[in-house]
Amino acid sequence: MSERFRLDGQVAVVVGGTGALGGAMARGLAAAGAAVAVAGRNAGRGGQVVEAVEAAGGRAVFAPCDAGSRGQLVEARELVLQRLGEPSVLVNAAGGNQPAVTLDEQLRFEDVDLQAWRDCLDLNLSAGVLLPCQVFGPPMKAAGRGSIVNIASISAHVPLSRVVAYSAAKAAVVNLTRFLAREWAPAVRVNSITPGFFPGEQNRRLLFQEDGEPTERGRQILEGTPMGRFGDPAELVGAAVFLACHEASSFVTGADLPVDGGFLASAL
């Protein structure tokens, strides 16, 4: 049974692998046997992920690129081909909320700047999914086999009160995932993961006070999470490996897999 969850001989590209969630999934895919390309803008963080993979006996390279640039994604793909081989797994983990479209007492929905709105959608939808899929997906389809895993969000399903543009973009990620699953079947399986609340650099101030205690918003989230805690990035690895492995999830496409401690079950 364990062989069904192995990726030996395969090449996985993790766009946004320099982030906390993407980095954890990159390390997890490598532990399952894949050679991993860590694609992103931050060479320091990318190098740390590569070093961790290699220290554990795996193969990895850092592929510098801005996911919002088709040209840089093409260059990253060429680097992966030269260093590791033909990619058969793509994880799209780039994205994040932006302060310019985060609602508060000073910024109402009706006052959101259109360009700031477009920037957030570009980051999470165009750079987060569209462009990487356009660059890495067609060769997988031509080869007759591949798996794409997009990273959605709780806010795609339950639009959170302040992150309006991010919520809209992540809802579109789920929809685009299903579209591609239909269009590229049966050669390429396309699924998404919906992470719950995982503390990171972007949301730590939203979730925690300076003394480490939860903020009011953090407390409300914990009360709405049956597991009673926030997630750890390592807890996304199992879902990513499952969806990446053809032998484990060969009949799974167009699905969205929540890893949220039960938040959606509680919220709905």
Side-chain angles (χ1 to χ4, degrees), residues 171-185:
V173 166
V174 174
N175 189 278
L176 181 56
T177 295
R178 291 170 178 160
F179 172 85
L180 290 174
R182 182 189 68 213
E183 294 297 306
W184 287 353

Side-chain angles (χ1 to χ4, degrees), residues 9-258:
Q10 297 195 51
V11 175
V13 177
V14 182
V15 179
T18 55
L21 302 187
M25 288 184 284
R27 293 190 295 272
L29 294 170
V36 177
V38 181
R41 294 180 296 183
N42 192 312
R45 292 179 183 173
Q48 290 174 358
V49 177
V50 170
E51 289 176 5
V53 169
E54 292 178 338
R59 294 175 61 208
V61 297
F62 173 63
C65 73
D66 181 338
S69 167
R70 181 189 297 273
Q72 291 187 31
L73 284 166
V74 170
E75 291 177 0
R77 176 174 149 72
E78 291 301 315
L79 184 149
V80 175
L81 281 170
Q82 294 172 9
R83 299 283 299 278
L84 300 177
E86 185 71 55
S88 56
V89 175
L90 171 66
V91 177
N92 288 316
N97 187 45
Q98 296 178 314
V101 284
T102 301
L103 306 184
D104 55 27
E105 295 179 357
Q106 285 72 45
L107 181 63
R108 302 174 300 173
F109 169 76
E110 54 265 38
D111 298 322
V112 169
D113 178 72
L114 180 58
Q115 187 57 54
W117 173 275
R118 287 171 173 164
D119 289 344
C120 189
L121 264 64
D122 277 346
L123 173 62
N124 291 284
L125 183 58
S126 301
V129 176
L130 173 65
L131 290 173
C133 284
Q134 287 182 328
V135 170
F136 289 95
M140 292 183 190
K141 184 179 178 182
R145 184 172 175 178
S147 175
I148 296 175
V149 182
N150 299 320
I151 305 304
S153 168
I154 281 289
S155 62
H157 305 275
V158 181
L160 303 179
S161 56
R162 297 175 59 192
V163 290
V164 57
Y166 179 76
S167 296
K170 287 299 188 178
V173 166
V174 174
N175 189 278
L176 181 56
T177 295
R178 291 170 178 160
F179 172 85
L180 290 174
R182 182 189 68 213
E183 294 297 306
W184 287 353
V188 181
R189 296 180 302 105
V190 189
N191 297 286
S192 59
I193 295 174
T194 281
F197 293 91
F198 290 75
E201 292 183 9
Q202 290 189 346
N203 63 1
R204 188 165 296 278
R205 291 184 179 180
L206 183 69
L207 301 177
F208 295 103
Q209 303 178 49
E210 292 185 1
D211 61 2
E213 291 297 312
T215 61
E216 177 61 23
R217 190 172 179 87
R219 184 185 62 78
Q220 292 173 349
I221 291 169
L222 291 173
E223 289 177 352
T225 303
M227 293 294 285
R229 61 178 177 84
F230 298 114
D232 183 275
E235 292 178 301
L236 289 174
V237 170
V241 170
F242 165 68
L243 292 175
C245 290
H246 180 74
E247 287 73 13
S249 56
S250 57
F251 201 53
V252 181
T253 194
D256 179 69
L257 177 56

